[in-house]
């Protein structure tokens, strides 16, 4: 009986020869399977021993061949495995030793190059040395991975893994030994990576985990500014004949906007919106501009912020009280009785800032009743604020006609205050969360004034052919999102013909870009397109939009996440075990007195806006998960649910805040089955 050993795409098999033609043969393997094999692929023919016995014996002998010695003995030219076996073993080297030589030569391509079926050639000495160094490095790396994995599984974090923690979890190099060690340790210990690293001491502060992760992803070069000086405004600006006032929170240092009212009682009111004018001094591609363009926006969070510009630059242009501040001013003339618009004008000027009003100090004083004359108005700028409030309600009503339905502010805003935090928070501070009603009179005054300015200036740029950065929304249908572009287009959600962001140039980069364009319009009118910094079809504007969209989304996502952290911390600090909430959809509920959306088991089949009480069963400050179960429904199941505004938009905006942490680490890398994850990838 004749057997044959053959090469099957780099794998050596042997079996009984069933039949043979000129260029091929039928071979039956030990499994009983029959295969057609080209004669050129047959390397050995033999009658004994059995094929399986030959292969097993040859593999054992192959392991005994010293590759360094074999490389020294091998001929310089091309040679066959049988020839090599006779040189290495003896001239009488038989079948098993020949097969052993074949297997050993084939599995050592760094020593011997394959030159054909059963044919080999010595690799050059420098190639062999380089290959051996690579093998040694790989062996050392494997040993290092094994040692680090053992250390992690034992409850300690090696320094290299601690140093690369956020890279490993969120932007890993999956070939890096640090990453492989975490994967291996997780498999050995049957623990999820986050749990493993936490228990090993790599994560000892949930707050720092979230903060450092954000810095790693968005500020890899650090948060410091290079040395910068605020440029001086080269032009001599006229002094405006107004007394302007700003309305901001007490924590605001970047005061971008102020208002003025003149002509009360004359029949025609001049309403001024005055915007800080860094664009009069900072030039595109200047050192300050490059910093602003890299940051793109101020980052806000409870107890701290990262400003778009250094404080010394901000203070040069902020609208601080007691100073005549450079401003880009929009003046809108209104009929005092009907509030019909009589005309608009944009001016570049110095504006006297008479006061910085702080709404957190004045909300309880400047009420709707005092602004409408139903209660005494014993505060500064009472007549001006009364007109501003009347105008704001008029503007809002006009927008709602275009919008097709009223803007409802059914849910409050929330303010976070960290006790004991005079500098960057550590995460251990006591957090105080207070409600602030949306649509408060001072808020309404400011928001409507800014919408008026942004819409008017957007129209101005469009009229003279100067490109700008616009926000538009074709309709309010579900799923139709706000987009940014360089042409004016309607914003259905706001009910305006066009909308540009231009009122926060100290804290948003697109506003600074638009301010440069608006300044050109104010100076040059119909010829502004010829001299504006950005010309029609300028690719720079599209680049700014793309970069800003990504950064602004990341910054907002972090702000939501860190506010969620402090809300969970508040629950923990106050020992809260039950919450009243309203149902959204798919088991998501929204707390009634906290900025918190979470899943509550038992609410999945309930209708939207059903009121429920839930029991908190657990929370995780690291994954930002809150676990809860339904206790009882609070409202009448037969009653019509309370109406809520913009439900589809609520789902888009709020559902991602329901918790969960997405890791980029993949435990499928390797052979072992991964342990259950610590948290869903939300």
């Amino acid at each position: 009986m004749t057997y044959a050993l053959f090469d099957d795409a780099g794998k050596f098999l042997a079996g009984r020869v069933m039949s043979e033609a000129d260029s091929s043969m039928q071979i039956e393997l030990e499994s009983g399977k029959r295969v057609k094999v080209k004669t050129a692929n047959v390397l050995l023919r033999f009658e004994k021993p059995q094929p399986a016995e030959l292969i097993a014996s040859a593999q054992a002998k192959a392991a005994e061949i010293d590759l360094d010695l074999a490389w020294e003995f091998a001929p310089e030219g091309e040679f066959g495995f049988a020839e090599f076996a006779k040189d290495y073993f003896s001239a009488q080297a038989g079948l098993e030793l020949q097969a052993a030589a074949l297997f050993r030569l084939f599995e050592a391509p760094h020593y011997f190059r394959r030159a054909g079926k059963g044919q080999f050639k010595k690799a050059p000495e420098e190639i062999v040395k380089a290959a051996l160094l690579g093998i040694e490095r790989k062996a050392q790396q494997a040993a290092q991975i094994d040692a680090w994995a053992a250390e992690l599984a034992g409850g300690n974090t090696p320094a290299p893994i601690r140093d690369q923690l956020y890279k490993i979890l969120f932007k890993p190099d999956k070939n890096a030994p640090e990453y492989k060690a975490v994967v291996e340790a997780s498999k050995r210990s049957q623990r999820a990576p986050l749990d493993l690293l936490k228990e090993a001491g790599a994560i000892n502060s949930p707050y720092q985990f979230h903060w450092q992760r954000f810095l790693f992803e968005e500020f890899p070069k650090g948060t410091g500014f290079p040395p910068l000086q605020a440029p001086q405004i080269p032009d001599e600006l006229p002094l405006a004949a107004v007394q302007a006032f700003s309305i901001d929170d007490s924590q605001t240092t970047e005061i971008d906007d102020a208002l003025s009212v003149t002509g009360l009682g004359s029949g025609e009111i001049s309403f001024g919106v005055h915007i800080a004018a860094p664009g009069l001094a900072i030039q595109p591609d200047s050192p300050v501009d490059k910093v602003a363009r890299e940051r793109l926006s101020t980052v806000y969070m409870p107890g701290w912020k990262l400003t778009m510009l250094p404080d010394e630059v901000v203070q040069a242009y902020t609208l601080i009280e007691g100073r005549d501040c450079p401003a880009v001013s929009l003046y809108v003339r209104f009929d005092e009785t009907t509030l019909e618009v009589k005309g608009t004008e944009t001016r570049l000027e110095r504006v006297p800032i008479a006061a910085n009003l702080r709404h957190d100090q004045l909300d309880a004083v400047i009420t709707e009743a005092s602004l409408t004359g139903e209660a005494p108005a014993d505060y500064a700028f009472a007549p001006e604020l009364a007109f501003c409030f009347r105008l704001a309600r008029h503007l809002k009503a006009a927008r709602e006609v275009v919008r097709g339905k009223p803007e409802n502010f059914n849910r409050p805003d929330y303010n976070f205050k960290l006790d004991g935090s005079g500098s960057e928070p550590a995460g251990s501070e006591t957090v105080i969360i207070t409600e602030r009603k949306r649509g408060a009179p001072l808020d309404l005054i400011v928001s409507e004034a800014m919408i008026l300015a942004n819409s008017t200036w957007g129209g101005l740029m469009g009229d003279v052919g100067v490109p700008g950065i616009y926000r538009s929304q074709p309709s309010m249908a579900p799923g139709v999102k706000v987009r940014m572009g360089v042409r004016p287009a309607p914003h259905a959600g706001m009910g305006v013909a066009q909308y540009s962001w231009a009122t926060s140039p100290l804290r948003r980069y697109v506003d600074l870009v638009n301010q440069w364009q608006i300044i050109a319009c104010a100076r040059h009118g119909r010829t502004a397109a010829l001299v504006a910094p950005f010309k029609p079809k300028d690719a720079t504007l599209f680049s700014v939009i793309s970069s800003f969209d990504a950064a602004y989304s990341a910054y907002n996502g972090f702000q939501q996440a860190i506010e969620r952290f402090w809300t969970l911390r508040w629950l923990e600090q106050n020992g809260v075990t039950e919450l009243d909430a309203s149902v959204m959809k798919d088991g998501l509920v929204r707390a009634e007195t906290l900025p918190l959306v979470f899943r509550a088991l038992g609410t999945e089949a309930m209708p939207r806006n059903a009121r429920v009480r839930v029991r908190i069963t657990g929370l995780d400050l690291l994954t930002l998960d809150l676990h809860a179960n339904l206790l009882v429904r609070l409202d009448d199941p037969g009653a019509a649910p309370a109406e809520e505004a913009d439900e589809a938009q609520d789902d888009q905006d709020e559902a991602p805040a329901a918790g969960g942490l997405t890791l980029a680490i993949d435990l499928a890398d390797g052979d072992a089955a991964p342990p259950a994850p610590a948290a869903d990838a939300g």
Side-chain angles (χ1 to χ4, degrees), residues 583-603:
V583 174
M584 294 177 65
K585 68 171 187 177
D586 300 332
L588 282 176
V589 301
R590 180 189 292 108
E592 291 186 347
T593 57
L594 290 171
L596 192 61
V597 172
F598 56 97
R599 297 193 180 278
L601 294 176
T603 65

Side-chain angles (χ1 to χ4, degrees), residues 200-223:
I203 304 169
N204 49 31
S205 165
Y207 179 84
Q208 288 300 320
F209 175 80
H210 297 298
W211 175 229
Q212 295 301 325
R213 174 196 174 183
F214 172 72
L215 295 180
F216 165 76
E217 292 182 335
E218 302 300 329
F219 291 85
K221 298 177 183 177
T223 60

Side-chain angles (χ1 to χ4, degrees), residues 254 362 417 421:
E254 305 149 289
L362 296 171
K417 181 182 178 183
S421 174

Side-chain angles (χ1 to χ4, degrees), residues 98 104 121 176 185 282 308 476 604:
Q98 291 178 31
R104 189 60 163 157
K121 188 175 182 180
I282 300 169
M308 182 178 75
M476 293 176 60
E604 293 82 1

Side-chain angles (χ1 to χ4, degrees), residues 229-539:
Q229 287 188 337
Q232 296 296 310
I233 295 174
D235 303 325
E236 196 64 43
L237 301 173
L239 183 65
V242 301
Q243 291 293 301
F245 53 89
S246 67
I247 304 172
D248 293 281
D249 185 86
S250 293
Q251 306 305 314
T252 301
T253 57
E254 305 149 289
I255 304 174
D256 288 292
D257 54 86
L259 306 175
S260 68
V261 178
T262 55
L264 287 171
S266 69
E268 184 174 287
I269 304 294
S270 178
F271 179 65
V273 180
H274 311 284
I275 305 302
L280 289 170
I282 300 169
Q283 296 303 310
D285 295 323
S286 66
V288 178
D289 171 49
K290 289 176 180 176
V291 166
R293 185 169 177 180
E294 185 174 355
R295 294 228 171 170
L296 293 162
S297 172
T298 291
V299 182
Y300 295 98
M301 68 204 83
W304 196 244
K305 66 180 176 180
L306 298 176
T307 56
M308 182 178 75
L309 292 167
D311 187 61
E312 55 269 27
V313 174
V314 169
Q315 293 310 312
Y317 311 116
T318 188
L319 303 182
I320 194 167
E321 65 184 15
R323 197 165 75 180
D324 299 338
C325 298
V328 179
S329 298
L330 172 68
Y331 290 97
V332 184
R333 292 181 289 109
F334 291 96
D335 182 287
E336 191 168 8
T337 303
T338 65
L339 296 181
E340 178 187 355
V341 175
K342 295 294 188 179
T344 65
E345 183 183 2
T346 298
R347 300 179 193 164
L348 311 177
E349 58 188 4
R350 288 181 296 123
V351 176
I353 306 299
N356 295 142
L357 306 181
R358 304 297 185 175
H359 62 65
D360 52 315
Q361 301 171 4
L362 296 171
D363 273 345
V365 177
I366 303 178
T367 61
E368 183 172 338
S370 70
L371 290 166
T372 57
E374 297 176 11
D378 187 18
Y379 44 78
F381 299 100
E384 290 84 355
L385 287 167
F387 174 80
C388 289
F389 185 59
R390 177 180 162 227
L391 176 63
R393 292 201 294 185
H394 171 78
L395 294 172
K396 181 174 184 288
R399 289 192 303 102
E400 288 175 340
V401 171
V402 178
R403 191 173 185 270
K405 63 177 180 178
E407 291 178 329
N408 291 327
F409 299 110
N410 292 346
R411 299 195 307 277
D413 286 325
Y414 294 91
N415 293 327
F416 292 78
K417 181 182 178 183
L418 305 183
D419 266 5
S421 174
S423 57
E424 182 181 325
S428 57
E429 294 81 1
T430 299
V431 59
I432 300 168
I433 303 176
T434 55
E435 288 188 13
R436 182 164 185 268
K437 182 178 172 58
R438 286 189 181 185
L442 289 178
D443 281 349
L444 183 65
I445 288 170
V446 173
S447 64
E448 289 300 329
M450 297 310 112
I451 292 171
L452 175 64
N454 285 322
S455 178
T456 302
W457 278 331
L460 172 64
M461 289 188 289
D463 288 344
V464 300
V466 169
I469 297 178
Y470 293 87
R471 293 174 67 79
S472 64
Q473 186 181 22
S475 78
M476 293 176 60
V480 179
K481 296 182 179 181
V482 175
R483 296 179 180 271
M484 299 184 79
V486 297
R487 296 177 180 273
H491 194 306
M494 304 194 74
V496 294
Q498 65 280 316
Y499 190 73
S500 65
W501 262 352
T503 54
S504 297
L506 293 175
R507 42 189 165 178
R508 276 194 312 238
Y509 187 67
V510 294
D511 298 56
L512 178 59
V513 169
N514 279 334
Q515 186 172 88
W516 283 323
Q517 302 295 84
I518 293 165
I519 289 170
C521 294
R523 283 175 170 163
H524 302 281
R526 291 289 172 185
T527 62
L530 300 175
V531 295
F534 304 100
K535 306 298 187 291
K537 299 182 180 179
D538 192 326

